Amino acid sequence: MSKWVILGVFIAFALVISCVNSSRFDELYQPNWALDHFTYEGELIKMKLDKYSGAGFSSKSKYLFGKVTLQIKLVGGDSAGTVTAFYMSSDGPYHNEFDFEFLGNTTGEPYLVQTNVYVNGVGNREQRLNLWFDPTKDFHSYSILWNQRQVVFLVDETPVRVHSNLEHKGIPYPKDQAMGVYSSIWNADDWATQGGRVKTDWSHAPFIATYKGFEIKGCECPDKVAAVDNMKRCSSGRDKRYWWDEPTVGELSLHQSHQLLWVRANHMVYDYCSDTARFPTTPVECQHHHH
């Protein structure tokens, strides 16, 4: 076979792969409410919020550990009162959950990004930061990395929050419940913008969040399989090794640690760990987290 034939086959194969990637939304996700508020434009998915409804989608499968990424272009202009959320969550009253919530704002004001971590149904771990770019002007990648050692929230691969496994200190860590992946846009003007003082201006509707770059690299957990068996299957053993269990992914690199310190010093505007009004006694995990 000549090298040109081989090259042709390779190019054709590459095109097939790229086509598969460009339809990833339908492979990985499905709209789960307000289907008439979705628009499909090639590889882009748009969800709109108007005075009648918001919209949301969810992954078709649940996962135990891995990395989930969405590229999102947030609602432009006056988006006060709106929230666009990207999160992972398990089911039930004692669920685990990792949240990105993008809190809209009046024109010209920075978007705030709120992160939260729920463990066994308990949240109240909010942090808020502003971003070092305008998230409405272009797509940026937002990722959640989850393994046995830590949960890392990343913006364009820069870590903005770490929740470490401190089970050796008696603190519960989310590691035994498979989680779905979700995104939604909705009206939250009772709290989202300046504590609810700024309401949604519906004359700017519809509010549109645009998505592409749907990636889930994780251990898929079929519903029909018992949780304990999923846990065994999704943990690295002698015979197999998942990349997210590698020691290099178990903690931040030195460069990532510096990035996180920079984000905290320059962009964090609220941290539950230092909110003495809400928590007169510092939450236990805050006493042990290095970051």
Side-chain angles (χ1 to χ4, degrees), residues 198-258:
V198 182
K199 300 299 181 186
T200 304
D201 182 348
W202 294 108
S203 70
H204 294 289
F207 302 100
I208 294 171
T210 310
Y211 298 79
K212 68 175 185 177
F214 304 91
E215 280 183 43
I216 299 178
K217 299 171 182 170
C219 183
E220 195 170 337
C221 294
D223 283 338
K224 298 180 179 69
V225 177
V228 65
D229 295 324
N230 275 326
M231 282 174 65
K232 281 181 194 155
R233 212 170 41 78
C234 294
S235 296
S236 289
R238 280 184 196 166
D239 54 337
K240 63 180 185 295
R241 191 105 186 132
Y242 290 116
W243 66 266
W244 53 83
D245 281 338
E246 296 289 342
T248 50
V249 195
E251 56 187 21
L252 298 187
S253 67
L254 186 61
H255 175 61
Q256 288 178 315
S257 296
H258 289 157

Side-chain angles (χ1 to χ4, degrees), residues 95-113:
H95 73 295
N96 300 325
E97 186 176 325
F98 313 136
D99 295 334
F100 269 113
E101 292 179 312
F102 304 95
L103 313 182
N105 224 321
T106 49
T107 308
E109 293 290 314
Y111 249 83
L112 285 180
V113 181

Side-chain angles (χ1 to χ4, degrees), residues 63 133 152 158 190 209 237 239:
Y63 303 86
F133 53 82
V152 186
T158 296
D190 55 331
D239 54 337

